[in-house]
Amino acid sequence: MSAPEAVGDDPGPDELAQWRRHATATIADCLGRHNVVSSRVRLLSGDGLVGRAFCVRVMPGDSRSLHEALDHVPPGRVLVVDAGGYADRAVWGEILTVAAQVRGVVGLVLDGATRDLAAIRARGFPLYAVATTPAGPHKSGGGQWGGTVSCGGAVVATGDLVVGDRDGVVVVPWARRAEVLAATRERAARERRWLKDIEAGRPSSELFG
């Protein structure tokens, strides 16, 4: 089943490039250090990702809803999957990776397990997940897509902006996108000034009171 996503035009290449220039740590600071996906959902393949979320919830250890969701996901999306954090049965692998790439999916944030990691890395597909295991999934169904999920403790709505790098993943609510990007630019500039001051000999304890 599906639900409407956040309203608004997709960000263009220029805006996506701006988000890629900023560290998730800086973005998280500008979100009040909220909306951060748990560190147990870690980068396993690729160098990071940026795009709007397409959310999927699956029954732990079951991949049927992921196959079905790929019939509906628009190109340019990041799949954000609540698989219950279950680490002992993979719900993702090489076949789903190829199917996702054909649909134009730009990456995956999976609160669950994957397999076929070497093949996924060889295909250059950005992937964050809890674990790897050779144990494959069931295909009984019972999930949903297109709504809101909890992924690594972060609430993610379909249409929100997802940014991932080597530190982890942050989620920017769509309605706050312009505000957070402006604040991130300002904070990044301020941090560059701090670094110059520290390199010039100013104590960091003085900078931070």
Side-chain angles (χ1 to χ4, degrees), residues 73-74 178:
V73 60

Side-chain angles (χ1 to χ4, degrees), residues 14-33:
D14 289 345
E15 182 181 340
L16 291 176
Q18 291 181 56
W19 285 107
R20 287 190 188 96
R21 282 197 290 269
H22 295 296
T24 55
T26 308
I27 299 169
D29 285 347
C30 296
L31 286 164
R33 297 174 181 166

Side-chain angles (χ1 to χ4, degrees), residues 163-174:
V163 184
D165 61 14
R166 291 181 179 272
D167 282 346
V169 178
V170 295
V171 180
V172 181
W174 185 251

Side-chain angles (χ1 to χ4, degrees), residues 59 62-65 138-143:
M59 296 299 291
D62 193 292
S63 68
R64 177 174 173 175
S65 297
H138 302 296
K139 292 183 173 61
S140 300

